[in-house]
Structure formats: structure tokens, C-alpha cells
Amino acid sequence: MNRILLAAALVLAAGSLQAADAPAVPKPDCQAPHVPGAAMRNDDFAMKRFKRDTKRYEDCMKSFVDEHQAIAKAHYDAANAAADEYNKTVKEINEQLKE
């Protein structure tokens, strides 16, 4: 009987987890470079500015990706730790129920 109650509680808990909304994730706030027109592509100053802006954009996007990958890894690790703890606890409960 206890196992049936435990199973029912787990099914209800799993259902509520699936219903949770994913958090809103901000988009990168990186300014894309403006490509110089054909007439300006021979202008050294315009091309230097374009290359500088392109590098700034690349660095900003890389920083955004690195930051969010680190956040995702932390959440992934936390979820795995929770699953491990859950499995350990259920195993202990099942062993106690056998006594």
C-alpha cells in the first residue's frame, strides 16, 4: 500500500514539473556591425571601423554564449544531483519497506 501511495505521489510530482514554464532568457544585447556600402569599401577608415565593430560584435556574442553555457551547465549539474539524491532516497525507502 505504501508503495502505491509513493508511486502516485511521484506521478503527480512529475506532472507538475512538466507543467512548469521555462524561464524567460534574455537575447544577446550585441550590436551587429554595419556593412559599408560598395563605395565605402575602398575607404581605409570605413573598413577599419567595420573590422573593429565586427570584432566587438564577435567578442560580445562569444561572451553571451560562454555565460549562458556556464548557466546551463550549472542547471544541468543541479538537475543531475537532484536525480541522484532522489534515486538514493527511493532506494533507502524501498529497503526500509522490505524490513
Side-chain angles (χ1 to χ4, degrees):
M1 182 69 172
N2 286 337
R3 287 184 185 180
I4 293 172
L5 291 176
L6 177 62
L10 293 176
V11 168
L12 290 174
S16 68
L17 289 177
Q18 291 176 349
D21 292 332
V25 177
K27 297 196 181 294
D29 188 23
C30 302
Q31 197 77 7
H34 176 71
V35 179
M40 296 299 291
R41 291 184 188 150
N42 292 328
D43 183 331
D44 287 340
F45 180 74
M47 291 309 293
K48 283 181 183 179
R49 183 175 56 220
F50 173 66
K51 288 178 183 178
R52 182 195 66 219
D53 293 347
T54 300
K55 178 69 173 145
R56 185 180 305 139
Y57 179 70
E58 176 185 1
D59 292 345
C60 179
M61 291 299 276
K62 283 182 178 181
S63 176
F64 180 87
V65 169
D66 290 346
E67 176 185 351
H68 285 273
Q69 284 178 336
I71 292 168
K73 183 179 181 332
H75 284 272
Y76 180 80
D77 291 346
N80 281 339
D84 290 344
E85 183 173 334
Y86 167 80
N87 289 333
K88 177 185 167 194
T89 301
V90 169
K91 183 179 178 182
E92 290 172 359
I93 290 170
N94 286 332
E95 288 175 4
Q96 290 174 6
L97 290 173
K98 289 179 184 177
E99 295 175 359

